[in-house]
Amino acid sequence: MLSLKFQRKAVLEKLYGKIANKEPILVCGAGTGLIARLEDQSGADIIVVYSSGKFRMNGHPAIAGNLPLGDCNQIMYDMGKNDILPVVKSTPVAAGVYGLDVTRDLEKFMMELGELGYSGVISFPTVAKFSGAMRAELESVGLGFQRELDLLKKAAGLGFFTMSYCYSPQEARQLAQVGTDIIISHCGLTSGGDVGAQGQAPLEAAAQRTDEILSAALAENPRVIPLCHGGSISTPADAEFVINHSCAKGFVGASSVERLPVEKAIKDTVSQYLSIKIK
């Protein structure tokens, strides 16, 4: 077992304490060092680093992180080493590891991540994003969801706390069965802003979907930490509604924490400068 910066037991005990005190859990994505430093200073419970963050904060839709546009595991490794881990002082950081990566010994790779300063692993990108013929073909050649479950089990065995996005009750049950610590209902690409999804389902539908997914996980393991994410949940008020209308105990904000606020702040600031009246 690795000697990690933040031990799994301590991280989970803090989160269970927040649940007991009816305090919301907040996990934040970070695509740049500046964003990570501000999230750390602001009291985020966990920071997650994955390839989508790089694409998002470079002006592209976050879903680009699910496409073959680069080595997602290397992108995450480099972001952590060069930009994010050096500036985060007080918050555990989870690495987005792609479990379908056939080019690496992923157990050895995760040991390197622990030495780098990561304390958790989130299975991302995930094959669960795919359906239809693409998903069926991946599953048929052994590049399916089971590899991600195996990854999470290996990560836990090394001492990492483990996380996964989830798109269905069936997969929620599987994640809970292998002991995944934090399961996040995924309601789709976050809406809003310049590169967000359009036409997302209303919040009521997001709350219902969240509850169905997370209830399935909790039925398998009541110690799962259930969080919500994505789709029409793009503001603190949206997250509050879904948390209070489902069994979610907190929120994972990526686009909604680092992209949307930055878009608004930069546009507003530039507009104010351009409104200067010269006498």
Side-chain angles (χ1 to χ4, degrees):
M1 185 172 292
L2 298 171
S3 177
L4 301 172
K5 184 174 181 180
F6 293 88
Q7 295 299 311
R8 174 179 176 270
K9 181 179 179 182
V11 173
L12 297 181
E13 283 181 351
K14 177 188 174 184
L15 300 183
Y16 290 135
K18 294 195 73 172
I19 291 172
N21 292 329
K22 295 188 176 181
E23 299 173 15
I25 293 167
L26 180 62
V27 176
C28 296
T32 71
L34 173 61
I35 295 293
R37 177 169 59 79
L38 295 173
E39 290 169 347
D40 182 38
Q41 292 174 352
S42 300
D45 293 302
I46 294 170
I47 293 171
V48 292
V49 180
Y50 36 46
S51 57
S52 281
K54 181 179 178 64
F55 288 107
R56 176 189 303 119
M57 298 311 289
N58 278 299
H60 308 295
I63 200 170
N66 294 90
L67 301 176
L69 300 176
D71 182 342
C72 54
N73 280 331
Q74 190 64 48
I75 289 170
M76 173 274 298
Y77 182 93
D78 292 341
M79 289 169 65
K81 178 181 180 181
N82 300 323
D83 303 325
I84 293 171
L85 291 167
V87 300
V88 174
K89 308 302 181 185
S90 306
T91 309
V93 182
V97 180
Y98 189 37
L100 275 60
D101 188 346
V102 297
T103 70
R104 286 178 170 82
D105 178 332
L106 288 178
E107 187 164 355
K108 180 180 178 182
F109 181 58
M110 287 191 290
M111 293 175 70
E112 295 174 4
L113 295 176
E115 294 171 359
L116 199 62
Y118 283 108
S119 301
V121 166
I122 180 169
S123 179
F124 188 89
T126 171
V127 70
K129 187 76 172 176
F130 297 103
S131 60
M134 181 69 171
R135 176 70 180 272
E137 290 183 4
L138 287 168
E139 294 284 353
S140 73
V141 296
L143 294 175
F145 195 60
Q146 185 60 49
R147 284 180 70 102
E148 296 182 16
L149 298 174
D150 293 342
L151 172 85
L152 291 167
K153 287 192 288 186
K154 288 178 181 178
L158 292 172
F160 291 103
F161 65 87
T162 56
M163 309 171 61
S164 181
Y165 288 117
C166 187
Y167 293 81
S168 73
Q170 177 186 358
E171 288 169 355
R173 286 189 286 271
Q174 291 176 277
L175 287 165
Q177 287 167 359
V178 299
T180 308
D181 297 313
I182 302 167
I183 297 179
I184 309 142
S185 62
H186 201 301
C187 293
L189 190 64
T190 301
S191 61
D194 294 340
V195 293
Q198 304 298 317
Q200 284 286 4
L203 276 177
E204 291 81 3
Q208 181 178 353
R209 180 176 180 180
T210 292
D211 199 57
E212 290 171 354
I213 292 171
L214 298 180
S215 291
L218 290 166
E220 290 291 335
N221 179 6
R223 294 293 283 171
V224 162
I225 295 170
L227 307 179
C228 60
H229 170 79
S232 54
I233 317 170
S234 59
T235 69
D238 296 337
E240 182 176 35
F241 178 89
V242 172
I243 290 168
N244 285 319
H245 290 82
S246 74
C247 55
K249 300 301 182 185
F251 177 65
V252 176
S255 293
S256 53
V257 168
E258 62 174 347
R259 174 176 65 81
L260 292 173
V262 166
E263 286 181 358
K264 183 178 187 308
I266 296 295
K267 288 179 179 180
D268 287 350
T269 300
V270 170
S271 177
Q272 289 170 28
Y273 277 112
L274 291 173
S275 299
I276 290 174
K277 292 179 172 54
I278 300 177
K279 297 179 180 179

